[in-house]
Amino acid sequence: MSIGLMQWQFFVALLTGVLLLWGVTWAWRRAAMRREAERRIEAARVRSGHVPLEIPTVRGGINPSGDSVPDTLPEWFIQGKGEHAVVDETPRIRVRYLDAHDRKVECTLQVDHLDVQKKTITGHGELPGDIRRVPLHRITSARIADSGQRFNVDTWVDAVRVARRRRGQV
């Protein structure tokens, strides 16, 4: 019993296809693991106090009262004016979200309050009396209204949480 040439070619083509499929899935999984690791590292940086460039910031000091400077700050900061980039807790963003009836809604929202415990954003729109309360899990995408830059809501919430904890407003 000998294997014919056609059977041998079929076997080699099948083996090549299986190896190629295995290689593509391995590369895909490796890239997905790398992206997940980068996302986790960035989230840990935000939780430790790093403010990424895509989060809107304002200039200000650590203490709103300004009477005492914590001794954990570096000397160059204490000698300076004491201002640095602080997370903007009331940015103006363009939000796309699903409302209570699962309809897609898009609006420009001036954030008035972020409730971290209830996980909601309360803000007002362009029209007078247009006050909206948007649950964070219903937001599908967000952009900064002025620049159109993408706005990661989860990263912003983590940064606000860290900023409030540093100010003692847990």
Side-chain angles (χ1 to χ4, degrees), residues 24-105:
V24 167
T25 57
W26 176 79
W28 186 270
R29 289 181 68 195
R30 185 167 171 99
M33 287 176 15
R34 185 178 302 126
R35 284 190 304 269
E36 177 66 18
E38 289 172 358
R39 187 197 62 78
R40 292 169 80 190
I41 289 170
E42 187 62 32
R45 287 174 127 184
V46 168
R47 285 191 304 269
S48 69
H50 172 74
V51 180
L53 293 176
E54 62 266 8
I55 293 179
T57 58
V58 293
R59 301 297 288 179
I62 290 181
N63 292 336
S65 61
D67 53 357
S68 66
V69 177
D71 58 353
T72 58
L73 293 175
E75 186 64 31
W76 58 266
F77 185 81
I78 294 171
Q79 291 174 356
K81 293 182 178 178
E83 290 189 352
H84 67 291
V86 178
V87 177
D88 186 5
E89 295 188 23
T90 59
R92 188 167 177 262
I93 56 177
R94 190 171 53 236
V95 181
R96 289 183 185 163
Y97 65 96
L98 299 174
D99 66 358
H101 303 289
D102 287 336
R103 290 181 297 208
K104 295 178 183 176
V105 179

Side-chain angles (χ1 to χ4, degrees), residues 6 28 31 44 47 58 62-63 69 72 74 76 96 113 117 133 140 143 147 153-154 157 163:
M6 291 292 284
W28 186 270
R47 285 191 304 269
V58 293
I62 290 181
N63 292 336
V69 177
T72 58
W76 58 266
R96 289 183 185 163
H113 179 68
Q117 277 75 30
R133 187 177 190 151
T140 57
R143 293 188 175 268
S147 64
V153 176
D154 295 330
V157 169

Side-chain angles (χ1 to χ4, degrees), residues 106-149:
E106 181 174 351
C107 69
T108 302
L109 193 67
Q110 175 65 46
V111 176
D112 293 327
H113 179 68
L114 168 67
D115 192 342
V116 180
Q117 277 75 30
K118 293 181 182 177
K119 298 181 180 173
T120 59
I121 294 175
T122 305
H124 60 276
E126 290 100 8
L127 300 174
D130 183 18
I131 297 175
R132 298 179 189 236
R133 187 177 190 151
V134 182
L136 295 177
H137 71 277
R138 304 290 283 181
I139 296 175
T140 57
S141 70
R143 293 188 175 268
I144 297 174
D146 299 331
S147 64
Q149 180 182 2

Side-chain angles (χ1 to χ4, degrees), residues 158-170:
D158 286 340
V160 168
R161 184 179 291 131
V162 168
R164 286 180 182 173
R165 185 177 46 214
R166 283 190 171 180
R167 287 192 311 257
Q169 297 177 346
V170 180

